[in-house]
Amino acid sequence: MNFLAFNLPPILDYILGAVYVFALVYTIIKILLDTHSTSKTLSYLLVVIALPIIGILFYFSFGINYRHHKSNQKTIDIYHRVTNEYLANVEDHTDKLIDENKEFLQPYTSLISFVRNLNKESLSSNQFKLLINGEEKFPEMLAVLNAAKKHIHMEYYAWENDVRGKQIKEVLLKKAKEGVSVRIMYDAYASRKIKHNIVKELHNGGVEIHPVIKVKMAQLANRMNHRDHRKIIIVDGSIGFVGGINLSDRYDNSIDTGLFWRDTHMKITGPGVVNIQRHWVINWHACQNNRIAFDENLMPDSLKKDDTKIAELSQIMVGGPIYPMSTIMLTYAKMFSLAQKKLYITNPYFIPNETILDVLKQAAKSGVDVRLMMPEKSDSAVVGAAAKFYYEELLHAGVKIFMYKKGFVHAKTAVADGAVSIVGSANMDIRSFDLNFEIFSIVYGEKLASELEQAYLNDLKECVELDYETWIKGSTFKRLTYAVCPLGFFIFIG
């Protein structure tokens, strides 16, 4: 053959052909060995075989996360060191709490054990305050920050240089001036707009602030690097915040940004905050060289006393590229599988794997009232279309799908049987399952579950429910588009 139709001497044509065949075989072997998702493996194989040379260049440019290979072992070592330090200083009361609450917890002991064994996440008794949208989160957050006495630790995905972003900056500068230790991590891609203003001002004001993962080429970072998708705050080791709300005006509907945003966050008070602190410390040690030890400053003695009158039991679950298993995905699946009567899920980016799909269909076919709420219009056309690919089989299995019409629903929550809840940062896609650093709280208690369930029912008033018969009558072109988009998503997410 004449290589790529150029008029080359026969010997050169054969040499280039042999080199190409070798490169193709090598690439295929590398894809098969290094890509652990079947969907992504098939996608990459299709690209490299269907697009000669271009496909190979594409895979080595975008299919391999070079930062992943370079930095993971360091962070894994830090994880083990910090976790051992944590376990040496914190008594695990999981078995005692299960025994004291065995009647209520009996349906969920397998979930508690699963989470505990998966990532050494102990059970603890805490107080929770559900925060709906930025209108509730930001005032509560600012009050807690203003009351800080010893330290403020923050880790955020997106921080904007807007009204709320600047307001938080000013509070942090004030607390640093008062002598409070303020340490902040941020995602260098999502928060890239604050690099030359808020970050510099905080640094100059005595705040220790670092990107979790440094980004040199922001244009490519959207798909090439891992992201720190967490949104957490720890104040004085005793109060924590987790959820889906970033530091931006768009989440606060008291500020007119042109679009209503529906999101959920949560304030946690109690021993569980120490576990959030553990995971914050792991990333802090990984992103810079200033070490901090697990001592009484990070674990106040007051947390060892369970004197709260209205407390609920909880565990923290985290995920990310340093963990050997898809902890976020597996925990979601385990919780869903335990639902007996009802399961209400809200998630803006729903591109599930087969495990999540199967457990939802199985629950619905078992008679569980499974409801899935998503935005009618996604902020990503590809993601929105990719999610629609799964609607037909979910609807056919009996899953009820509701499209939120009032604005954009960004909450990542789940509540089962009015008894167990999840609130956090994790979406239901492969990026949150395997690539991003994520966190959520699992709460075993009727109070929070009731509040979360009521918020869900209120949101349903702003939704339209999809109908299976109507959905399958959609145009063939649209259905073909929906079928193609998941393939593109798996290829381009990194």
Side-chain angles (χ1 to χ4, degrees):
M1 69 174 181
N2 192 278
F3 196 73
L4 290 183
F6 289 108
N7 293 319
L8 301 174
I11 185 64
L12 186 56
D13 185 47
Y14 289 130
I15 291 173
L16 290 176
V19 170
Y20 170 72
V21 171
F22 174 81
L24 178 62
V25 172
Y26 174 80
T27 304
I28 290 173
I29 292 173
K30 188 165 183 62
I31 291 171
L32 293 172
L33 292 177
D34 292 354
T35 310
H36 302 295
S37 163
T38 302
S39 300
K40 290 186 71 176
T41 298
L42 294 174
S43 299
Y44 285 134
L45 289 174
L46 176 62
V47 169
V48 299
I49 293 172
L51 301 174
I53 300 180
I54 296 175
I56 295 175
L57 292 175
F58 176 89
Y59 173 72
F60 281 97
S61 297
F62 299 103
I64 300 175
N65 195 307
Y66 294 100
R67 181 176 284 106
H68 171 94
H69 295 290
K70 180 180 179 181
S71 66
N72 255 19
Q73 190 56 51
K74 173 188 173 183
T75 311
I76 290 170
D77 292 342
I78 291 170
Y79 165 79
H80 289 299
R81 185 174 71 246
V82 172
T83 296
N84 288 336
E85 207 173 332
Y86 162 82
L87 294 173
N89 287 279
V90 177
E91 188 174 352
D92 187 344
H93 296 289
T94 300
D95 294 330
K96 177 184 176 184
L97 289 170
I98 291 176
D99 186 61
E100 292 175 349
N101 300 274
K102 56 186 174 184
E103 185 175 348
F104 175 76
L105 291 178
Q106 192 277 329
Y108 312 111
T109 52
S110 64
L111 174 59
I112 294 168
S113 297
F114 177 79
V115 171
R116 187 187 191 186
N117 294 332
L118 199 60
N119 202 28
K120 304 185 189 308
E121 308 290 349
S122 60
L123 188 69
S124 61
S125 180
N126 304 280
Q127 288 183 307
F128 299 90
K129 184 172 183 178
L130 193 64
L131 303 170
I132 304 297
N133 300 337
E135 303 95 284
E136 294 186 4
K137 176 200 171 175
F138 289 120
E140 189 78 26
M141 168 188 172
L142 289 167
V144 172
L145 290 177
N146 272 304
K149 302 298 183 185
K150 293 183 178 180
H151 70 257
I152 295 171
H153 292 163
M154 296 174 60
E155 184 175 350
Y156 265 86
Y157 175 63
W159 191 335
E160 298 286 345
N161 185 33
D162 52 18
V163 175
R164 284 303 193 187
K166 291 177 182 177
Q167 187 179 24
I168 294 161
K169 174 199 68 178
E170 293 301 327
V171 172
L172 296 174
L173 287 172
K174 183 187 75 170
K175 299 310 292 187
K177 191 174 182 180
E178 292 174 1
V180 175
S181 296
V182 183
R183 304 179 180 99
I184 299 171
M185 291 179 284
Y186 64 96
D187 184 81
Y189 176 77
S191 296
R192 60 193 180 279
K193 293 180 182 178
I194 67 167
K195 183 178 179 181
H196 301 295
N197 39 64
I198 287 178
V199 171
K200 283 190 175 182
E201 291 179 65
L202 288 172
H203 178 75
N204 292 336
V207 174
E208 295 181 68
I209 182 167
H210 302 276
V212 177
I213 304 168
K214 293 181 180 179
V215 171
K216 294 181 181 179
M217 297 179 67
Q219 298 89 335
L220 296 178
N222 184 33
R223 70 160 316 285
M224 287 189 70
N225 74 312
H226 298 296
R227 308 261 198 93
D228 186 354
H229 198 239
R230 297 173 183 171
K231 298 100 174 157
I232 59 176
I233 299 172
I234 307 107
V235 174
D236 294 340
S238 60
I239 300 176
F241 291 83
V242 299
I245 301 176
N246 287 295
L247 306 182
S248 168
D249 288 353
R250 73 169 64 97
Y251 297 85
D252 189 339
N253 297 299
S254 68
I255 301 173
D256 186 10
T257 60
L259 179 66
F260 185 88
W261 275 66
R262 172 66 184 88
D263 212 332
T264 302
H265 221 79
M266 190 164 61
K267 176 186 175 184
I268 305 173
T269 305
V273 176
V274 178
N275 213 5
I276 302 174
Q277 187 92 272
R278 165 170 68 120
H279 298 296
W280 182 91
V281 170
I282 290 167
N283 273 1
W284 180 255
H285 286 184
C287 76
Q288 49 79 62
N289 296 318
N290 181 19
R291 301 290 185 255
I292 53 177
F294 254 106
D295 55 22
E296 64 277 3
N297 290 317
L298 300 189
M299 298 180 292
D301 289 336
S302 61
L303 294 185
K304 300 176 183 178
K305 302 175 183 177
D306 183 15
D307 56 2
T308 55
K309 294 182 180 179
I310 303 176
E312 296 182 284
L313 303 176
S314 70
Q315 291 171 292
I316 296 296
M317 176 49 72
V318 295
I322 67 171
Y323 304 99
M325 303 177 72
S326 296
T327 54
I328 294 293
M329 183 275 293
L330 291 171
T331 305
Y332 269 140
K334 181 65 175 177
M335 176 197 172
F336 298 166
S337 71
L338 294 177
Q340 296 296 310
K341 296 179 180 179
K342 52 189 175 181
L343 175 61
Y344 297 165
I345 302 167
T346 303
N347 211 280
Y349 307 110
F350 183 80
I351 306 179
N353 62 3
E354 292 182 2
T355 300
I356 296 295
L357 274 177
D358 287 344
V359 77
L360 290 177
K361 292 188 293 184
Q362 184 181 52
K365 283 295 186 183
S366 299
V368 179
D369 179 10
V370 181
R371 303 186 183 191
L372 177 62
M373 186 186 300
M374 290 173 284
E376 182 182 49
K377 186 177 181 180
S378 177
D379 59 347
S380 168
V382 173
V383 172
K388 290 179 173 63
F389 171 71
Y390 303 98
Y391 291 0
E392 182 175 336
E393 60 178 308
L394 288 169
L395 289 168
H396 185 260
V399 175
K400 299 172 184 176
I401 300 177
F402 297 87
M403 309 308 292
Y404 189 80
K405 296 171 65 70
K406 185 176 180 178
F408 184 69
V409 60
H410 188 257
K412 303 95 166 46
T413 65
V415 56
D417 295 336
V420 58
S421 312
I422 283 178
V423 177
S425 66
N427 297 310
M428 288 192 194
D429 60 25
I430 195 169
R431 179 171 280 283
S432 283
F433 292 164
D434 294 324
L435 300 177
N436 291 345
F437 287 97
E438 304 281 6
I439 186 169
F440 57 55
S441 181
I442 311 162
V443 182
Y444 308 90
E446 294 176 346
K447 179 179 178 293
L448 182 73
S450 176
E451 293 174 359
L452 198 60
E453 188 173 295
Q454 187 57 55
Y456 194 95
L457 295 175
N458 290 339
D459 290 334
L460 284 181
K461 299 173 184 177
E462 307 294 343
C463 294
V464 59
E465 183 177 359
L466 298 183
D467 174 70
Y468 173 71
E469 296 298 334
T470 303
W471 184 260
I472 61 175
K473 291 178 182 177
S475 73
T476 303
F477 177 76
K478 281 187 176 180
R479 295 173 70 186
L480 179 60
T481 302
Y482 301 155
V484 170
C485 281
L487 178 63
F489 179 80
F490 285 125
I491 292 174
F492 285 101
I493 59 168

